[in-house]
Structure formats: C-alpha cells, structure tokens
Amino acid sequence: MPIQIRFNDVDKFGHVNNTIHFQFYDTAKTDYVSMVCKGFDWGREAIVVAKIEAEFLAQIKGNDHIATRTRVTKIGNKSFHMEQDIIDTDTQEVKCRCLTVLVLYDLVNHQSIPIPDVWRQAIRQYDGL
C-alpha cells in the first residue's frame, strides 16, 4: 500500500519521526482488514493491539517514496500475528519492520471474541498460510 509522507511527518532533521511509523502501519492495517476481512463491523467490533514491536532499520527522508507490505503470519483462536514492512518503493529497501499481535474484540459485550472462520479462510488464501 503506497504511503504519502505528510509535511508534519518530517522533523527538523529532514526524516520521518519514528513515532509516525506506527501511524503508517495503522493505515495499512485498516486497509488490510477492509480488503481481506469482509463484513467487519467497525461499530460493533474492534481489533486491538495486544503487543507491538518495531525494528527501525534505516531513516525515511521526507522525499522518499514508501509503501507498506502487510501480511498475517499466524492465526490463533482470538488473535492473529501481523508482520509489516515499510519499504522504499524506488530501491525496495526495508526501512522498518513491525510485528504486532492483534485481538478481535466485541465492543458491545466488552470481551475478546473468536476470529470468524470466513476470515480465517480469507486470510489463509490472501497470505498463502
């Protein structure tokens, strides 16, 4: 997914601040869920971050052309693991890698819920699990 670097993403040193990477990842997560997990009810359900870690490999400059690659690497009963890379689309260099554990959550009943089988099948087909 192509990412547009905004004016306020770039700090005094001319590079994208590390905290902004997580906004890029969140945008790509939303795109992934909308594309792959059909029928997600954003008003009734949430996908919450249980664990997140990032490895910053190289600076992203304000004029770089970047994109995110997103894939699910593991599906549990109520959670799934997602791996994301921010890449320079001109050089294919991985600038940052993020590993996240996400949990499906019922906003009405305030509890985690199982991942629907239809999502499991769609994720497996999309990511080749």
Side-chain angles (χ1 to χ4, degrees):
M1 176 185 157
I3 296 290
Q4 179 182 358
I5 298 173
R6 303 166 301 178
F7 175 79
N8 62 330
D9 294 338
V10 180
D11 63 18
K12 290 181 188 182
F13 302 105
H15 70 273
V16 174
N17 188 285
N18 288 358
T19 62
I20 300 299
H21 291 65
F22 294 101
Q23 294 176 26
F24 295 160
Y25 290 131
D26 285 347
T27 299
K29 283 180 187 83
T30 302
D31 185 65
Y32 182 97
V33 170
S34 296
M35 216 172 32
V36 179
C37 303
K38 302 296 183 191
F40 184 73
D41 183 351
W42 293 98
R44 183 175 168 80
E45 301 166 326
I47 299 174
V48 296
V49 174
K51 179 181 179 182
I52 190 165
E53 59 184 59
E55 183 178 6
F56 300 97
L57 303 167
Q59 291 184 30
I60 300 173
K61 304 275 182 166
N63 61 351
D64 286 347
H65 300 105
I66 59 170
T68 57
R69 288 190 298 220
T70 301
R71 70 185 189 106
V72 171
T73 58
K74 181 180 175 184
I75 306 171
N77 183 38
K78 296 180 181 182
S79 67
F80 57 98
H81 295 214
M82 185 173 276
E83 179 182 277
Q84 296 178 280
D85 293 331
I86 296 175
I87 61 163
D88 182 311
T89 58
D90 295 330
T91 65
Q92 298 302 304
E93 177 186 16
V94 176
K95 299 286 192 168
C96 185
R97 174 159 291 142
C98 183
L99 304 173
T100 310
V101 177
L102 300 153
V103 176
L104 189 57
Y105 190 80
D106 183 324
L107 292 169
V108 175
N109 297 308
H110 305 285
Q111 62 186 17
S112 60
I113 54 176
I115 297 170
D117 287 336
V118 67
W119 286 19
R120 290 175 188 283
Q121 292 171 352
I123 291 167
R124 285 184 180 125
Q125 184 176 9
Y126 186 82
D127 286 320
L129 292 176

